[in-house]
Amino acid sequence: MSTTASNEAQTVACTVENRIAWVSFNRPEKRNAMSPALNRQMMRVLDDIEFRDDVGVVVLTGEGTAWTAGMDLKEYFRETEVLGMAGTRKAQRESYGWWRRLRWFQKPTVAMINGWCFGGGYGPLFSCDLAFASEDAKFGLSEINWGILPGGGASKVAVELLNFRRAMYHAMLGENIDGKTAADWGLVNEAVPADQLKARVTAVAESLLKKNPVALKATKDAIRRVREMTYDNAEDFLVRAQEAANSYDNEGRKEGLRQFIDEKTYKPGLGEYDLSKQKKA
Ligand code: ACO
């Protein structure tokens, strides 16, 4: 591997333990700012883990004090702009590309926000299905502070996740909020003390690993898709989405019903059926 390729490979770290893939932004000395190299590497890592049998859940976190300080202002903006429109569009494709890939990822995804999360970081934040932050993490749409609008989807993420007044204030003032406020505002699911963050995320990931994976993929896509549908369109989409899911796994729900109604070994209202007893398709 050439030095350039090896440097690029190091921008993202990934370890798989007990079916949880821990994927990290790995430029701590640059507060995990997303450079074109990091964006390309993240797509490679996602490619590698998406359909691996030994991966059931993906956690996206950051090495060091940052989750990500957003786009790399030097490498993503200044150094690509000098290449003209082609350079700018290429850099945008590389970043938006892996965020989109992550939005529709096969496996459940959890953002574990351990520190700074700025601007372009809202793209992958929204891409993850769930998000847990350290209480002292800091979130900000800092674009206004250096003179641009929150692009790369960041404005869209703000209005998707926050109410109108909060989105407007957050984007126009460029003030940071901590993890606790981010949880109050709905930017993340929960904020927990920093020393409990990994344990909480691990517990959530372990719960997800016990659920039917085909149903999980259908569910996460359904929640994203129906946001933009009328009630009638959503009703129709959901019927078809379940029928499509049945074409991948026609035994899961039958087994779930069997264990409840016939075997009486669990109650769906109180937990999930035992996946290990399900016949393989
Ligand atoms: N782009 C490029 N380099 C960055 C970025 C970034 N987004 N963030 C940090 N760095 C670099 C710094 O330039 C510095 O590099 P150097 O060591 O070569 O001088 C190094 O990372 C460490 O950064 P410090 O500022 O020294 O770290 P500190 O912990 O004091 O502050 C903080 C962290 C608050 C995150 C600060 O680095 C910062 O404000 N970064 C920019 C955040 C931002 O506004 N991001 C852009 C959002 S807009 C968008 O994404 C489109």
Side-chain angles (χ1 to χ4, degrees):
M1 199 187 277
S2 70
T3 314
T4 318
S6 151
N7 289 346
E8 190 155 316
Q10 284 166 16
T11 58
V12 178
C14 178
T15 53
V16 177
E17 283 166 29
N18 304 322
R19 305 198 65 232
I20 305 171
W22 298 89
V23 178
S24 308
F25 295 106
N26 190 30
R27 302 181 70 218
E29 72 292 350
K30 296 289 180 190
R31 303 301 178 262
N32 299 326
M34 288 179 276
S35 60
L38 181 146
N39 291 326
R40 286 190 291 271
Q41 184 60 19
M42 195 62 92
M43 186 66 114
R44 287 187 201 104
V45 169
L46 295 179
D47 265 338
D48 177 47
I49 59 180
E50 185 159 20
F51 293 100
R52 265 170 56 173
D53 288 340
D54 64 336
V55 174
V57 176
V58 174
V59 177
L60 181 61
T61 188
E63 297 296 327
T65 56
W67 194 63
T68 171
M71 307 321 292
D72 188 307
L73 301 190
K74 179 166 167 280
E75 296 184 34
Y76 180 87
F77 285 106
R78 183 187 280 173
E79 291 175 4
T80 56
E81 271 171 32
V82 296
L83 303 174
M85 175 82 90
T88 299
R89 291 287 180 268
K90 178 171 183 295
Q92 289 166 337
R93 275 197 308 278
E94 288 167 346
S95 54
Y96 304 170
W98 76 261
W99 303 344
R100 186 179 311 114
R101 180 74 177 274
L102 196 59
R103 281 200 300 283
W104 303 105
F105 209 66
Q106 185 68 25
K107 313 283 168 66
T109 54
V110 184
M112 183 170 94
I113 302 100
N114 51 300
W116 303 109
C117 176
F118 284 110
Y122 283 40
L125 176 67
F126 181 63
S127 294
C128 290
D129 304 322
L130 301 171
F132 295 81
S134 157
E135 285 177 351
D136 57 8
K138 292 281 185 294
F139 296 78
L141 289 179
S142 55
E143 285 89 339
I144 195 69
N145 294 339
W146 65 279
I148 68 165
L149 61 77
S155 293
K156 176 68 172 161
V157 175
V159 296
E160 288 285 313
L161 298 183
L162 309 178
N163 73 33
F164 177 79
R165 290 290 172 213
R166 283 177 175 161
M168 198 63 97
Y169 188 96
H170 199 52
M172 290 182 71
L173 275 295
E175 293 172 5
N176 297 333
I177 57 172
D178 65 11
K180 271 187 171 175
T181 307
D184 287 346
W185 287 14
L187 206 49
V188 299
N189 292 89
E190 279 175 36
V192 296
D195 62 355
Q196 293 166 30
L197 183 60
K198 188 162 185 191
R200 175 67 182 127
V201 168
T202 303
V204 170
E206 284 170 350
S207 295
L208 290 168
L209 288 172
K210 293 183 192 151
K211 312 285 183 198
N212 179 310
V214 172
L216 270 182
K217 168 65 173 153
T219 299
K220 57 182 255 176
D221 286 4
I223 295 293
R224 279 191 197 271
R225 293 281 183 209
V226 300
R227 290 168 77 87
E228 294 176 1
M229 293 181 194
T230 61
Y231 193 96
D232 282 329
N233 285 344
E235 196 177 67
D236 186 55
F237 168 82
L238 293 168
V239 167
R240 289 160 208 286
Q242 181 58 54
E243 288 169 0
N246 295 348
S247 73
Y248 289 100
D249 173 13
N250 204 21
E251 297 306 317
R253 69 196 192 290
K254 293 180 189 167
E255 179 61 21
L257 289 184
R258 192 187 69 75
Q259 289 180 23
F260 176 51
I261 295 170
D262 304 326
E263 212 176 71
K264 298 192 185 301
T265 47
Y266 86 113
K267 295 176 194 288
L270 302 178
E272 64 281 315
Y273 73 93
D274 181 353
L275 268 183
S276 69
K277 294 185 188 166
Q278 187 179 323
K279 276 187 278 171
K280 294 279 175 272

